[in-house]
Structures are given as structure tokens and as C-alpha cells.
Amino acid sequence: MTGGGAVGSGGTVAFGGDVATYYAAYRRGYPEALLDRVGAALGLSAVDGTVLDLGCGTGQLALPMAHRARAVIGMDPEPAMLRLAAEAGARQGLANVTWVLGADRDVPALGALLDGPRPLAATVIGTALHWMRPAELFPVLRALTRPGGGVAVLSGGAPLWLHGTDWSRALRAFLEDHFGRELRATCGTDDADLARYRREFADAGFASATLLEHAYEDLLTFDRLVGGLWSAFPPDALPAPGDRPAFAARLRAALPPGDRFAEPVRVTALVATVGPAER
Ligand SMILES: C[S@@+](CC[C@H](N)C(=O)[O-])C[C@H]1O[C@@H](n2cnc3c(N)ncnc32)[C@H](O)[C@@H]1O
């Protein structure tokens, strides 16, 4: 549901256990119309090319990209996320997605495994680049990507607790009290993050970087809000299953009245391409 990474994690990567289950159940995917534009910008077609989804989580991008490429590699360092992604792919009957356990530092080895020069049509990275080291990753991806292809960095919008709405401010206050510290990390979703990624693409030699956007409002039930929130908790901070109803009741009491919470969602895709001069 929420766009960002783990709340209160102090920078530790953690998406295992029940967090992965909440992630699969409550994180929204990306608008099909935006994915069509990303596919067009990267020169993708359903009949050719391999797309890498790095930090694929439970498949929010890998699964829809499977209809826009010949083959997709979903890669993630968290086994629980990868298992749920693979289960979702099997439920959808997808036969062109391969699931690989690995992180950004493993991309050079993946490149060695794939046959031929520039074996990738594209790489997509959804709400995950803030866990990686772009200055090291982007040159590796550029060298693996065919001319006209590229890398798309997608974000599903700001974290739930960082919107400018009354309920989001109340949520942030509740969470800051719960974790005992300020929550400021934008998890790769704001304009300063995008400007930094743009510079890192340019430094890595990508030909151009274009920002595609899709904004809309989502009306969340309280159940979706809590599920989305728990999908962003580090596993060791998630309340024990028996304590979750009391946590939810305290949160409900801390939020403004009403049974719907309007979330302004700004989905972005920064698409960087590999120029034809490298052909
Ligand atoms: C917020 S989730 C995003 C999942 C999905 N791509 C999406 O768009 O919803 C971040 C994912 O990045 C993965 N991740 C964390 N560190 C990573 C790294 N160094 N390299 C690749 N993936 C990483 C996590 O395991 C997690 O599944």
C-alpha cells in the first residue's frame, strides 16, 4: 500500500516473515497505463528481450512486465518475498519469469550467466533503489543493456505517513511515538531523490533520463491502511500476532474519524536509456 520502504528500520534491509505476507496482500501494483509508457520508452515488446526486475519483492513489477517482454528475471535478496512472487506468478500461469535470489551486488554475476553481449532489454527497479548503491550498479546495468533499452526506476509514491493530509500527519505522530524517533526518510520517492538518480544515470553514461508520472487518489479502508503499514514494518518491529488487534485499535483511535482515508498517490518512473551510439 504505502510507497516507501521499511518504517523504523534504521537502514536494515528486512522484508521477511509476516512482513512479506502483508506486502503481497496489501502493496498496490503500478498503473498499467504507466507501465505501457515505460515499455514504450524502453522499446519493449512481448515477443523479444529479457527484462530484469531488481528488488522484485512479491512481483509488483515482474508480473505485469511478463506481458511486455519475452522473458523476465525477478531478483530479490529476501527469500520470503521471492517465494510469494513465484507463487503469484504460478497462479497467473506465467511461464516466462525466472526468480533469482540476489541483490544489486550480484548483478555482475547474473550478467556473466546470461549469454551474449548486452543481454538485457531493460531493468526495472520498483521502490527498491534506496536499498542499493546506484553509483556502482548503474554502470554495470548500462554495460549489460542493449542499445535503445535502459533502466526504469519506479516509485509507488510517498510513504503513508508522509502525505500532507490530516490522517497521514496523525499516523506519523502515532508512529514516531511508537518508534521513539522522527520518521523523515522518503525512501527514494521525492524530487531530491529523483534529481540524485538523474545525476547518477548521467555519470554512468546513460543517454537520457525521462520522468513519467501518474497521479491519482486512492480511498483506503482502515484495513488496507493497517495492512499497508505492516508491510513497511521491519519484521522484528511487527507486533506479535496476538498484539496486532490492540495496536490497530490504538491507531484507529489516533486517526481522524471516518471510514475512508484519501491517499494522494504520485507514481513516478524515471526512465534512462542506452544510446544508439553504443551499438
Ligand atoms: C519496498 S520493496 C519493493 C518491492 C517491489 N519491487 C515493489 O515495487 O513493490 C523493496 C525490495 O527490495 C529488496 N532489496 C533490499 N535490498 C536490496 C538490494 N541490495 N538489492 C536488491 N533488492 C533489494 C527487498 O528485499 C524488497 O523486496
Side-chain angles (χ1 to χ4, degrees):
M1 183 51 41
T2 166
V7 60
S9 68
T12 310
V13 179
F15 287 92
D18 284 357
V19 169
T21 308
Y22 283 117
Y23 206 99
Y26 289 101
R27 286 287 180 130
R28 64 166 76 85
Y30 298 86
E32 288 287 319
L34 184 75
L35 295 184
D36 284 344
R37 293 167 67 200
V38 169
L42 293 170
L44 296 180
S45 103
V47 291
D48 89 314
T50 298
V51 171
L52 168 65
D53 177 7
L54 186 58
C56 65
T58 53
Q60 281 75 6
L61 271 177
L63 301 178
M65 293 316 287
H67 303 286
R68 294 172 169 87
R70 183 181 51 79
V72 172
I73 300 166
M75 191 169 183
D76 198 285
E78 173 50 61
M81 298 290 263
L82 215 48
R83 179 176 56 77
L84 291 169
E87 287 175 9
R91 275 196 304 276
Q92 293 182 22
L94 294 173
N96 63 340
V97 189
T98 301
W99 304 101
V100 175
L101 188 71
D104 57 340
R105 64 181 170 276
D106 301 310
V107 172
L110 181 73
L113 176 74
L114 299 173
D115 209 16
R118 301 185 173 275
L120 293 176
T123 297
V124 292
I125 302 174
T127 317
L129 188 61
H130 55 293
W131 297 110
M132 304 178 197
R133 286 175 294 187
E136 289 162 44
L137 175 66
F138 286 173
V140 174
L141 289 178
R142 190 181 67 103
L144 290 174
T145 304
R146 71 186 184 188
V151 178
V153 173
L154 288 95
S155 150
L160 277 174
W161 53 92
L162 289 185
H163 295 304
T165 62
D166 287 349
W167 65 263
S168 181
R169 278 189 282 271
L171 173 63
R172 180 175 178 176
F174 177 89
L175 291 172
E176 289 185 342
D177 183 56
H178 179 78
F179 286 109
R181 62 185 183 78
E182 272 189 66
L183 297 177
R184 277 178 304 203
T186 54
C187 307
T189 62
D190 73 1
D191 288 337
D193 297 322
L194 288 170
R196 193 176 68 254
Y197 297 154
R198 243 183 218 286
R199 280 195 303 276
E200 287 167 331
F201 274 130
D203 290 348
F206 282 83
S208 65
T210 306
L211 184 65
L212 307 177
E213 294 187 64
H214 184 112
Y216 65 100
E217 186 178 86
D218 199 4
L219 281 182
L220 307 181
T221 60
F222 180 69
D223 186 52
R224 284 181 67 206
L225 192 156
V226 177
L229 185 61
W230 283 337
S231 80
F233 266 52
D236 59 359
L238 199 63
D243 296 336
R244 285 175 209 165
F247 177 100
R250 281 199 310 282
L251 173 59
R252 185 66 197 85
L255 297 181
D259 59 1
R260 288 291 187 280
F261 302 87
E263 181 185 5
V265 183
R266 178 194 178 216
V267 187
T268 57
L270 184 62
V271 183
T273 53
V274 173
E278 297 176 33
R279 205 179 290 272

